[in-house]
Amino acid sequence: MSVELNHTIIHARDNRESAEFLAHILGLEVGIEWGPFIPVATSNGVTLDFAAIPAESIVMQHYAFLVSDEEFDAAFARIQQAGIMYYADPHLKQPGKINHHGGRGLYFMDPAGHGMEIITRPYGSHEQTPTAS
């Protein structure tokens, strides 16, 4: 068997709120609560298990999702419709823009303060220099 990431735990102030937020943006389903976890499964079999912990214990993490162009368009539309601030860069210095790195990408924050990213091509899979628009 080759090594694969199976699941990861994402800390949240409210595990249901965070799971539903991300599932909505990405067009995924929220799974059935299991113990302290609210799962959201991705199409490559990785499960994001949201767990509620005290807000002061949450350390910001970054999660990047590779999506098709159609999925990007749909997620981007949901982000805009919800009035969620998005950025072209991980340092949040280019608000209201997306990046072009041979594909398209953007960053946004989830309710617990984690940095979320959607990209249409993996970084380094092209020869172009990233730009924002």
Side-chain angles (χ1 to χ4, degrees), residues 7-27:
H7 69 276
T8 190
I9 296 170
I10 300 178
H11 291 161
R13 292 184 304 268
D14 179 325
N15 57 351
R16 178 143 317 266
E17 175 190 32
S18 288
E20 289 177 354
F21 171 85
L22 187 63
H24 171 70
I25 295 298
L26 298 179

PDB file of all heavy atoms in Angstrom, residues 7-27:
ATOM      1  N   HIS A   7      -7.088  11.377   6.939  1.00  0.00           N
ATOM      2  CA  HIS A   7      -7.899  12.408   7.573  1.00  0.00           C
ATOM      3  C   HIS A   7      -6.996  13.338   8.373  1.00  0.00           C
ATOM      4  O   HIS A   7      -5.857  13.008   8.664  1.00  0.00           O
ATOM      5  CB  HIS A   7      -8.971  11.798   8.483  1.00  0.00           C
ATOM      6  CG  HIS A   7      -8.418  11.145   9.715  1.00  0.00           C
ATOM      7  ND1 HIS A   7      -7.937   9.857   9.730  1.00  0.00           N
ATOM      8  CD2 HIS A   7      -8.272  11.613  10.976  1.00  0.00           C
ATOM      9  CE1 HIS A   7      -7.512   9.555  10.947  1.00  0.00           C
ATOM     10  NE2 HIS A   7      -7.706  10.611  11.722  1.00  0.00           N
ATOM     11  N   THR A   8      -7.542  14.489   8.679  1.00  0.00           N
ATOM     12  CA  THR A   8      -6.864  15.429   9.558  1.00  0.00           C
ATOM     13  C   THR A   8      -7.932  16.089  10.423  1.00  0.00           C
ATOM     14  O   THR A   8      -9.104  16.147  10.044  1.00  0.00           O
ATOM     15  CB  THR A   8      -6.044  16.478   8.782  1.00  0.00           C
ATOM     16  OG1 THR A   8      -5.228  17.206   9.697  1.00  0.00           O
ATOM     17  CG2 THR A   8      -6.929  17.445   8.005  1.00  0.00           C
ATOM     18  N   ILE A   9      -7.520  16.540  11.589  1.00  0.00           N
ATOM     19  CA  ILE A   9      -8.443  17.200  12.511  1.00  0.00           C
ATOM     20  C   ILE A   9      -8.241  18.703  12.405  1.00  0.00           C
ATOM     21  O   ILE A   9      -7.111  19.191  12.464  1.00  0.00           O
ATOM     22  CB  ILE A   9      -8.221  16.718  13.957  1.00  0.00           C
ATOM     23  CG1 ILE A   9      -8.542  15.220  14.039  1.00  0.00           C
ATOM     24  CG2 ILE A   9      -9.070  17.518  14.940  1.00  0.00           C
ATOM     25  CD1 ILE A   9      -8.145  14.571  15.348  1.00  0.00           C
ATOM     26  N   ILE A  10      -9.331  19.426  12.229  1.00  0.00           N
ATOM     27  CA  ILE A  10      -9.291  20.885  12.152  1.00  0.00           C
ATOM     28  C   ILE A  10      -9.995  21.434  13.379  1.00  0.00           C
ATOM     29  O   ILE A  10     -11.172  21.154  13.611  1.00  0.00           O
ATOM     30  CB  ILE A  10      -9.979  21.394  10.866  1.00  0.00           C
ATOM     31  CG1 ILE A  10      -9.266  20.821   9.634  1.00  0.00           C
ATOM     32  CG2 ILE A  10      -9.981  22.921  10.848  1.00  0.00           C
ATOM     33  CD1 ILE A  10      -9.896  21.223   8.316  1.00  0.00           C
ATOM     34  N   HIS A  11      -9.260  22.199  14.167  1.00  0.00           N
ATOM     35  CA  HIS A  11      -9.830  22.802  15.378  1.00  0.00           C
ATOM     36  C   HIS A  11     -10.741  23.968  15.004  1.00  0.00           C
ATOM     37  O   HIS A  11     -10.434  24.743  14.102  1.00  0.00           O
ATOM     38  CB  HIS A  11      -8.728  23.291  16.301  1.00  0.00           C
ATOM     39  CG  HIS A  11      -7.949  22.169  16.899  1.00  0.00           C
ATOM     40  ND1 HIS A  11      -6.705  22.338  17.434  1.00  0.00           N
ATOM     41  CD2 HIS A  11      -8.233  20.860  17.050  1.00  0.00           C
ATOM     42  CE1 HIS A  11      -6.265  21.188  17.897  1.00  0.00           C
ATOM     43  NE2 HIS A  11      -7.169  20.265  17.661  1.00  0.00           N
ATOM     44  N   ALA A  12     -11.842  24.084  15.713  1.00  0.00           N
ATOM     45  CA  ALA A  12     -12.824  25.135  15.455  1.00  0.00           C
ATOM     46  C   ALA A  12     -13.477  25.556  16.763  1.00  0.00           C
ATOM     47  O   ALA A  12     -13.528  24.787  17.716  1.00  0.00           O
ATOM     48  CB  ALA A  12     -13.893  24.607  14.498  1.00  0.00           C
ATOM     49  N   ARG A  13     -13.971  26.782  16.796  1.00  0.00           N
ATOM     50  CA  ARG A  13     -14.767  27.221  17.951  1.00  0.00           C
ATOM     51  C   ARG A  13     -16.083  26.463  17.966  1.00  0.00           C
ATOM     52  O   ARG A  13     -16.568  26.060  19.003  1.00  0.00           O
ATOM     53  CB  ARG A  13     -15.025  28.731  17.874  1.00  0.00           C
ATOM     54  CG  ARG A  13     -13.784  29.573  18.067  1.00  0.00           C
ATOM     55  CD  ARG A  13     -14.121  31.057  18.089  1.00  0.00           C
ATOM     56  NE  ARG A  13     -14.829  31.502  16.901  1.00  0.00           N
ATOM     57  CZ  ARG A  13     -14.256  31.991  15.811  1.00  0.00           C
ATOM     58  NH1 ARG A  13     -12.958  32.121  15.764  1.00  0.00           N
ATOM     59  NH2 ARG A  13     -14.973  32.365  14.776  1.00  0.00           N
ATOM     60  N   ASP A  14     -16.670  26.299  16.795  1.00  0.00           N
ATOM     61  CA  ASP A  14     -17.947  25.590  16.622  1.00  0.00           C
ATOM     62  C   ASP A  14     -17.731  24.633  15.456  1.00  0.00           C
ATOM     63  O   ASP A  14     -17.667  25.062  14.296  1.00  0.00           O
ATOM     64  CB  ASP A  14     -19.052  26.597  16.332  1.00  0.00           C
ATOM     65  CG  ASP A  14     -20.417  25.961  16.116  1.00  0.00           C
ATOM     66  OD1 ASP A  14     -20.490  24.848  15.540  1.00  0.00           O
ATOM     67  OD2 ASP A  14     -21.417  26.590  16.489  1.00  0.00           O
ATOM     68  N   ASN A  15     -17.601  23.348  15.764  1.00  0.00           N
ATOM     69  CA  ASN A  15     -17.252  22.383  14.716  1.00  0.00           C
ATOM     70  C   ASN A  15     -18.314  22.304  13.612  1.00  0.00           C
ATOM     71  O   ASN A  15     -17.989  22.160  12.442  1.00  0.00           O
ATOM     72  CB  ASN A  15     -16.937  21.007  15.292  1.00  0.00           C
ATOM     73  CG  ASN A  15     -18.040  20.392  16.115  1.00  0.00           C
ATOM     74  OD1 ASN A  15     -19.042  21.031  16.432  1.00  0.00           O
ATOM     75  ND2 ASN A  15     -17.857  19.138  16.490  1.00  0.00           N
ATOM     76  N   ARG A  16     -19.575  22.403  13.964  1.00  0.00           N
ATOM     77  CA  ARG A  16     -20.633  22.342  12.945  1.00  0.00           C
ATOM     78  C   ARG A  16     -20.584  23.577  12.047  1.00  0.00           C
ATOM     79  O   ARG A  16     -20.667  23.473  10.831  1.00  0.00           O
ATOM     80  CB  ARG A  16     -22.010  22.205  13.583  1.00  0.00           C
ATOM     81  CG  ARG A  16     -23.091  22.202  12.501  1.00  0.00           C
ATOM     82  CD  ARG A  16     -24.257  21.302  12.719  1.00  0.00           C
ATOM     83  NE  ARG A  16     -24.022  19.986  13.213  1.00  0.00           N
ATOM     84  CZ  ARG A  16     -23.878  18.897  12.453  1.00  0.00           C
ATOM     85  NH1 ARG A  16     -23.853  19.016  11.132  1.00  0.00           N
ATOM     86  NH2 ARG A  16     -23.735  17.716  12.997  1.00  0.00           N
ATOM     87  N   GLU A  17     -20.437  24.756  12.634  1.00  0.00           N
ATOM     88  CA  GLU A  17     -20.365  25.990  11.842  1.00  0.00           C
ATOM     89  C   GLU A  17     -19.211  25.925  10.842  1.00  0.00           C
ATOM     90  O   GLU A  17     -19.384  26.241   9.661  1.00  0.00           O
ATOM     91  CB  GLU A  17     -20.190  27.198  12.764  1.00  0.00           C
ATOM     92  CG  GLU A  17     -19.976  28.498  12.015  1.00  0.00           C
ATOM     93  CD  GLU A  17     -19.560  29.652  12.912  1.00  0.00           C
ATOM     94  OE1 GLU A  17     -18.863  29.420  13.922  1.00  0.00           O
ATOM     95  OE2 GLU A  17     -19.922  30.791  12.575  1.00  0.00           O
ATOM     96  N   SER A  18     -18.047  25.520  11.298  1.00  0.00           N
ATOM     97  CA  SER A  18     -16.879  25.476  10.412  1.00  0.00           C
ATOM     98  C   SER A  18     -17.033  24.414   9.331  1.00  0.00           C
ATOM     99  O   SER A  18     -16.683  24.644   8.170  1.00  0.00           O
ATOM    100  CB  SER A  18     -15.606  25.232  11.222  1.00  0.00           C
ATOM    101  OG  SER A  18     -15.269  26.389  11.959  1.00  0.00           O
ATOM    102  N   ALA A  19     -17.562  23.240   9.691  1.00  0.00           N
ATOM    103  CA  ALA A  19     -17.762  22.178   8.703  1.00  0.00           C
ATOM    104  C   ALA A  19     -18.780  22.616   7.647  1.00  0.00           C
ATOM    105  O   ALA A  19     -18.544  22.435   6.438  1.00  0.00           O
ATOM    106  CB  ALA A  19     -18.229  20.896   9.392  1.00  0.00           C
ATOM    107  N   GLU A  20     -19.874  23.193   8.071  1.00  0.00           N
ATOM    108  CA  GLU A  20     -20.902  23.639   7.127  1.00  0.00           C
ATOM    109  C   GLU A  20     -20.399  24.782   6.255  1.00  0.00           C
ATOM    110  O   GLU A  20     -20.722  24.851   5.057  1.00  0.00           O
ATOM    111  CB  GLU A  20     -22.178  24.032   7.874  1.00  0.00           C
ATOM    112  CG  GLU A  20     -22.896  22.823   8.440  1.00  0.00           C
ATOM    113  CD  GLU A  20     -24.137  23.150   9.253  1.00  0.00           C
ATOM    114  OE1 GLU A  20     -24.409  24.358   9.494  1.00  0.00           O
ATOM    115  OE2 GLU A  20     -24.821  22.197   9.678  1.00  0.00           O
ATOM    116  N   PHE A  21     -19.597  25.679   6.821  1.00  0.00           N
ATOM    117  CA  PHE A  21     -19.028  26.787   6.055  1.00  0.00           C
ATOM    118  C   PHE A  21     -18.182  26.252   4.901  1.00  0.00           C
ATOM    119  O   PHE A  21     -18.388  26.614   3.745  1.00  0.00           O
ATOM    120  CB  PHE A  21     -18.185  27.674   6.984  1.00  0.00           C
ATOM    121  CG  PHE A  21     -17.391  28.725   6.265  1.00  0.00           C
ATOM    122  CD1 PHE A  21     -17.962  29.942   5.932  1.00  0.00           C
ATOM    123  CD2 PHE A  21     -16.056  28.500   5.928  1.00  0.00           C
ATOM    124  CE1 PHE A  21     -17.225  30.923   5.268  1.00  0.00           C
ATOM    125  CE2 PHE A  21     -15.318  29.465   5.264  1.00  0.00           C
ATOM    126  CZ  PHE A  21     -15.907  30.674   4.931  1.00  0.00           C
ATOM    127  N   LEU A  22     -17.217  25.391   5.220  1.00  0.00           N
ATOM    128  CA  LEU A  22     -16.323  24.893   4.179  1.00  0.00           C
ATOM    129  C   LEU A  22     -17.066  24.010   3.179  1.00  0.00           C
ATOM    130  O   LEU A  22     -16.851  24.129   1.966  1.00  0.00           O
ATOM    131  CB  LEU A  22     -15.148  24.133   4.791  1.00  0.00           C
ATOM    132  CG  LEU A  22     -14.084  23.728   3.770  1.00  0.00           C
ATOM    133  CD1 LEU A  22     -13.441  24.955   3.128  1.00  0.00           C
ATOM    134  CD2 LEU A  22     -13.029  22.852   4.425  1.00  0.00           C
ATOM    135  N   ALA A  23     -17.935  23.139   3.662  1.00  0.00           N
ATOM    136  CA  ALA A  23     -18.700  22.281   2.757  1.00  0.00           C
ATOM    137  C   ALA A  23     -19.517  23.125   1.779  1.00  0.00           C
ATOM    138  O   ALA A  23     -19.576  22.816   0.585  1.00  0.00           O
ATOM    139  CB  ALA A  23     -19.599  21.348   3.555  1.00  0.00           C
ATOM    140  N   HIS A  24     -20.121  24.190   2.271  1.00  0.00           N
ATOM    141  CA  HIS A  24     -20.908  25.062   1.393  1.00  0.00           C
ATOM    142  C   HIS A  24     -20.020  25.695   0.326  1.00  0.00           C
ATOM    143  O   HIS A  24     -20.363  25.663  -0.868  1.00  0.00           O
ATOM    144  CB  HIS A  24     -21.616  26.146   2.212  1.00  0.00           C
ATOM    145  CG  HIS A  24     -22.256  27.196   1.363  1.00  0.00           C
ATOM    146  ND1 HIS A  24     -23.375  26.957   0.587  1.00  0.00           N
ATOM    147  CD2 HIS A  24     -21.908  28.480   1.131  1.00  0.00           C
ATOM    148  CE1 HIS A  24     -23.696  28.057  -0.065  1.00  0.00           C
ATOM    149  NE2 HIS A  24     -22.821  28.995   0.245  1.00  0.00           N
ATOM    150  N   ILE A  25     -18.899  26.275   0.727  1.00  0.00           N
ATOM    151  CA  ILE A  25     -18.011  26.945  -0.231  1.00  0.00           C
ATOM    152  C   ILE A  25     -17.531  25.969  -1.296  1.00  0.00           C
ATOM    153  O   ILE A  25     -17.512  26.283  -2.488  1.00  0.00           O
ATOM    154  CB  ILE A  25     -16.805  27.596   0.481  1.00  0.00           C
ATOM    155  CG1 ILE A  25     -17.265  28.724   1.415  1.00  0.00           C
ATOM    156  CG2 ILE A  25     -15.758  28.092  -0.532  1.00  0.00           C
ATOM    157  CD1 ILE A  25     -17.958  29.887   0.753  1.00  0.00           C
ATOM    158  N   LEU A  26     -17.128  24.762  -0.880  1.00  0.00           N
ATOM    159  CA  LEU A  26     -16.552  23.799  -1.812  1.00  0.00           C
ATOM    160  C   LEU A  26     -17.582  22.905  -2.503  1.00  0.00           C
ATOM    161  O   LEU A  26     -17.217  22.100  -3.364  1.00  0.00           O
ATOM    162  CB  LEU A  26     -15.528  22.924  -1.079  1.00  0.00           C
ATOM    163  CG  LEU A  26     -14.319  23.661  -0.499  1.00  0.00           C
ATOM    164  CD1 LEU A  26     -13.402  22.685   0.212  1.00  0.00           C
ATOM    165  CD2 LEU A  26     -13.572  24.431  -1.596  1.00  0.00           C
ATOM    166  N   GLY A  27     -18.844  23.032  -2.142  1.00  0.00           N
ATOM    167  CA  GLY A  27     -19.859  22.201  -2.756  1.00  0.00           C
ATOM    168  C   GLY A  27     -19.787  20.750  -2.303  1.00  0.00           C
ATOM    169  O   GLY A  27     -20.054  19.830  -3.073  1.00  0.00           O
TER     170      GLY A  27
END
